[in-house]
Amino acid sequence: MRLFLCEKPSQGRDIAKVLGATRRGDGCLIGTETTVTWCIGHLLETAPPEAYGDQYKTWSLDHLPIIPVQWRVEVKPKTAAQFKVIKRLLNEASTVVIATDADREGEMIARELLELCNYRGPIQRLWLSALNEASIRKAMSSLKSGLETFPLYHSALARSRADWLIGMNLSRLFTLLGRRAGYDGVLSVGRVQTPTLRLVVDRDRAIASFVSVPYWGVDVHLSSMGQPFIASWLPPSSGTDEAGRCLLQALASRTVQAISSNESATVLSLQTEHFREAPPLPFDLSTLQEVCSRKLGLGAQETLNIAQALYETHKATSYPRSDCRYLPESMFNEVPTVFDALLKTDSALRPALGSLDLSLHSRVWNDAKVTAHHGIIPTTEPANLARMSEQERQVYELIRSHYLVQFLPHHEFDRTQVELKCGEERLTAVGKQIQVQGWKDLLHDAAEEDEFGQKSQVLPVLQQGAQCAVNDVELKSMHTAAPKPLTEGDLIKAMKNVAKLVNEPRLKQKLRDTTGIGTEATRAGIIKGLIDRGYLLKKKRALMASAAAHTLIEAVPVAVADPGMTAIWEQALDEIEAGRLSLDAFVAKQANWIAQLIARYRSLTLAMPIEAGPACPICNASMLRRKGKSGPFWSCSHYPDCKGTVPIRKETRRP
């Protein structure tokens, strides 16, 4: 019997339908010679510390570091019944086809089960980019060898074990150090979550320390041949900051008077450049999350859930957890089929599709830039828009439009910069003249406008020496603005582009082409976990770090919270996936690093924001706030040598 092992029941049903496995069994679908079964996400989990010894049930510095010699996994209690089904089917299987999600985590979900159940038979890999029937049949015709994707499993195991070593050991270490300093909460530390948290803490600090500075500008309203335009004053360097802003109100006021006394300004020079903007590429998951945060106000996890539903439930779009925005050359042949499916999905598209050129071969078709997955695009089969929620439809239309613009011309425009002189003052004006609207006919994003940081205006036809009439002069009083709080979309972008935040030149170069902090599949979950733990607070779209988050970032070693270090770890996982680094070598290095950190920090005294307590009634030492079965109380800081306690009155308890 050939057994297909899927990641989710819905995925199993889609594959079983194509295979003709229609007879229902216990946790599976059965065909003539084929059975399809499924996990329910991860059926197994890495065993907790107490599984390696009863001594670890109590948190103690004496027990750290905890480094397993033989790693263990445990069956999740909620899905134990399905595990038994899969174990029975594996005993009967002659061949297994891994049909879980085509990524690192999907590989691990299947391979851990095969290993725990001691399956030793042949293994093949079904590599799906979409769950519509045509895509499944295409993938069935080109099954991969199990050996080809095995390194993905070791990469996922390395990630899992590194996360365990850092999370279990450092969370216990800093929680215990916090308790010693009187902090009664848990200080949770994670390989990815802590550097991610630092990004928000750093932004909060930048906002809190920001001091607004007043500055002044002068806009000069000019006209030539009856056509008005606006020029800006170029202040002398002696009165400006590094950004060229005038900091002297008196200087700006004198300039207004000086320019007002002139009737005209003379064109000193003008330069025109022609620009061609290629259509934006189809989405990868991070870019989709950024755009959905900005345009639709969706959280990162919300966007991922919607993209997963469009892929899994509606069969409308391709695999969502992609880190690639390009498409394979071979898929160019499917364009007419995709267009036909889009038209059947939404007949209102007919006018828009009529303006597209299906022969255009944009930069998106590039085999050299396609990774394990391609960009997120519509599938070759019609979808049912009526079954989609409003948000699902909005996200679907974004994905669709980014595919369709590949068949429109470049957006072309001329940018002209003019320098003028008015009396003794220098002015500049920038104009944009659109020559070809191109893809912006279909996809227009106001946030992507103003790419040169200038007001968009059409300048009159000017030439050197031309005289322009001065119609009005405007003094503008402004203030420098504090950095804005991060949104979830901003945080996803910062996690992905972490190289920009690293100052050390060699590390910065190494990180330039890596995936940054986390992966496409994990970033949304990391952010959600930080929100759920109370480290991140969300106010409308803005994220802010809680007091506990600031405490944690101040307490942990710089290396643990360094985004650059985390991205280097991700690079190591890629090396394992490529077969250039072994799983054991990576885990041993992580274990050694953890042991060194614990040895260095176990005697650290944390400076925690602790509520001041009374003096101990027995030894007069300071008292620390503790949490007991009946609520908080004051306990002597010399415990257990001194067991003095004082109850906390109700009115003094924290809200």
Side-chain angles (χ1 to χ4, degrees), residues 212-219 245-246 475-481:
S212 182
V213 175
Y215 67 100
W216 289 265
V218 177
D219 276 357
R245 293 177 291 229
C246 176
L475 177 65
K476 297 195 300 182
S477 175
M478 295 168 283
H479 283 79
T480 55

Side-chain angles (χ1 to χ4, degrees), residues 335-402:
V335 171
T337 310
V338 175
F339 272 48
D340 184 56
L342 291 175
L343 196 55
K344 289 177 180 175
T345 300
D346 186 359
S347 59
L349 270 182
R350 189 175 297 278
L353 295 183
S355 66
L356 305 182
D357 182 355
L358 274 66
S359 67
L360 274 181
H361 201 276
S362 77
R363 59 178 175 147
V364 73
W365 314 100
N366 190 331
D367 288 341
K369 294 193 175 183
V370 174
T371 57
H373 301 285
H374 55 69
I376 307 170
I377 62 170
T379 62
T380 55
E381 292 179 15
N384 188 341
L385 291 181
R387 290 180 55 209
M388 295 182 191
S389 68
E390 182 181 356
Q391 288 183 332
E392 286 173 341
R393 180 164 181 158
Q394 288 174 321
V395 175
Y396 169 72
E397 287 174 353
L398 279 173
I399 293 170
R400 182 180 70 185
S401 62
H402 275 246

Side-chain angles (χ1 to χ4, degrees), residues 19 54 59 83 129 143 172 178 184 207 229 360 429 463 595:
L19 292 169
D54 287 344
W59 289 27
F83 170 76
S129 61
L143 291 174
R172 288 189 178 210
D184 58 13
I207 294 170
F229 65 100
L360 274 181
Q463 28 185 302

Side-chain angles (χ1 to χ4, degrees), residues 401-534:
S401 62
H402 275 246
Y403 178 78
L404 293 179
V405 293
Q406 306 309 314
F407 307 97
L408 283 169
H410 284 51
H411 175 68
E412 298 186 41
F413 61 93
D414 291 332
R415 178 181 180 266
T416 301
Q417 183 157 359
V418 182
E419 287 209 20
L420 307 100
K421 186 174 183 181
C422 186
E424 297 302 315
E425 304 300 336
R426 293 292 183 99
L427 311 175
T428 185
V430 177
K432 177 179 178 180
Q433 181 72 50
I434 295 172
Q435 302 296 338
V436 179
Q437 186 69 2
W439 58 267
K440 289 201 174 184
D441 270 333
L442 182 63
L443 184 64
H444 183 80
D445 189 345
E448 294 171 0
E449 286 296 298
D450 195 20
E451 59 270 51
F452 297 102
Q454 300 283 348
K455 291 179 179 177
S456 182
Q457 61 179 337
V458 177
L459 295 177
V461 177
L462 297 170
Q463 28 185 302
Q464 191 171 347
Q467 298 294 307
C468 302
V470 176
N471 300 323
D472 191 18
V473 186
E474 179 185 358
L475 177 65
K476 297 195 300 182
S477 175
M478 295 168 283
H479 283 79
T480 55
K484 293 181 179 178
L486 294 172
T487 64
E488 289 193 46
D490 295 332
L491 185 53
I492 287 281
K493 188 174 184 178
M495 293 170 76
K496 185 177 181 181
N497 300 313
V498 69
K500 294 180 180 179
L501 307 173
V502 175
N503 295 321
E504 203 280 311
R506 285 187 302 172
L507 182 57
K508 191 179 188 76
Q509 184 60 40
K510 271 189 174 184
L511 297 179
R512 204 171 295 280
D513 298 321
T514 65
T515 56
I517 298 178
T519 66
E520 302 293 326
T522 61
R523 290 184 187 119
I526 293 296
I527 295 173
K528 184 177 184 298
L530 289 169
I531 293 171
D532 290 346
R533 288 187 182 94

Side-chain angles (χ1 to χ4, degrees), residues 569-586:
W569 283 330
E570 286 294 340
Q571 206 171 43
L573 298 181
D574 290 341
E575 290 291 295
I576 295 171
E577 189 174 319
R580 294 187 289 267
L581 178 65
S582 75
L583 167 65
D584 290 342
F586 173 81

Side-chain angles (χ1 to χ4, degrees), residues 153-338:
Y153 171 44
H154 272 190
S155 178
L157 269 184
R159 190 273 312 152
S160 174
R161 290 174 182 178
D163 286 353
W164 193 98
L165 287 169
I166 292 168
M168 295 299 175
N169 282 286
L170 297 189
S171 293
R172 288 189 178 210
L173 171 66
F174 286 99
T175 297
L176 290 167
L177 293 177
R179 287 178 185 173
R180 196 159 65 187
Y183 184 79
D184 58 13
V186 173
L187 291 174
S188 175
V189 179
R191 180 183 66 88
V192 178
Q193 75 168 37
T194 304
T196 301
L197 185 60
R198 182 184 148 185
L199 295 176
V200 184
V201 168
D202 285 351
R203 176 60 63 90
D204 285 356
R205 288 171 175 169
I207 294 170
S209 62
F210 180 81
V211 178
S212 182
V213 175
Y215 67 100
W216 289 265
V218 177
D219 276 357
V220 184
H221 295 255
L222 303 170
S223 62
S224 176
M225 304 293 288
Q227 183 177 343
F229 65 100
I230 297 174
S232 299
W233 169 53
L234 292 173
S237 57
S238 58
T240 62
D241 62 7
E242 292 178 356
R245 293 177 291 229
C246 176
L247 304 180
L248 304 174
Q249 183 179 9
L251 176 60
S253 297
R254 287 198 300 271
T255 299
V256 170
Q257 293 175 355
I259 294 175
S260 299
S261 66
N262 288 273
E263 294 183 354
S264 65
T266 305
V267 175
L268 296 179
S269 65
L270 60 149
Q271 183 177 4
T272 298
E273 289 183 85
H274 185 70
F275 291 89
R276 298 177 78 243
E277 287 183 9
L281 294 165
F283 290 112
D284 58 14
L285 178 58
S286 291
T287 313
L288 181 64
Q289 287 167 322
E290 291 168 37
V291 172
C292 287
S293 173
R294 187 178 74 242
K295 284 192 166 186
L296 307 177
L298 295 176
Q301 188 64 46
E302 284 180 286
T303 300
L304 176 54
N305 293 343
I306 290 169
Q308 192 72 26
L310 291 173
Y311 163 68
E312 224 171 75
T313 306
H314 300 289
K315 315 294 186 293
T317 57
S318 59
Y319 182 72
R321 291 179 169 89
S322 174
D323 63 353
C324 174
R325 301 186 68 181
Y326 291 86
L327 302 173
E329 294 272 357
S330 60
M331 291 183 69
F332 188 72
N333 298 326
E334 298 176 4
V335 171
T337 310
V338 175

